[in-house]
Amino acid sequence: MIFDRICFTIPGQAVQFARANNGQRGGLHRFTPAPQRNYMAAISMHAATAMAGKPPTTGPVALQMRVEYLVPQSWSK
């Protein structure tokens, strides 16, 4: 079995995903916060660039992520 590894980096600080809510429209529309929409677009753009025109994967996929966060200054030493 041949594995085709696709690696990419999304620069900047990771954005936590919020649960989509209905806002004030009685459940007719879902609302996704702008920072989350922008981060999703960045992920899509970097992934598409890393794919370099390859067709979408049709079989099983393994995902490995490394997310680095800065330690907040509020944490005690």
Side-chain angles (χ1 to χ4, degrees), residues 29-50:
H29 301 281
R30 295 283 185 192
F31 173 78
T32 303
Q36 181 176 336
R37 280 194 316 269
N38 295 340
Y39 197 66
M40 290 166 64
I43 292 170
S44 178
M45 179 187 72
H46 288 287
T49 301

Side-chain angles (χ1 to χ4, degrees), residues 7-11 46:
C7 299
F8 59 96
T9 300
I10 304 163
H46 288 287

Side-chain angles (χ1 to χ4, degrees), residues 3-61:
F3 293 100
D4 191 14
R5 177 176 275 186
I6 299 167
C7 299
F8 59 96
T9 300
I10 304 163
Q13 188 160 348
V15 174
Q16 294 180 356
F17 278 30
R19 181 179 296 179
N21 62 35
N22 295 332
Q24 301 296 323
R25 300 186 179 219
L28 297 176
H29 301 281
R30 295 283 185 192
F31 173 78
T32 303
Q36 181 176 336
R37 280 194 316 269
N38 295 340
Y39 197 66
M40 290 166 64
I43 292 170
S44 178
M45 179 187 72
H46 288 287
T49 301
M51 290 291 290
K54 297 175 188 165
T57 302
T58 57
V61 174

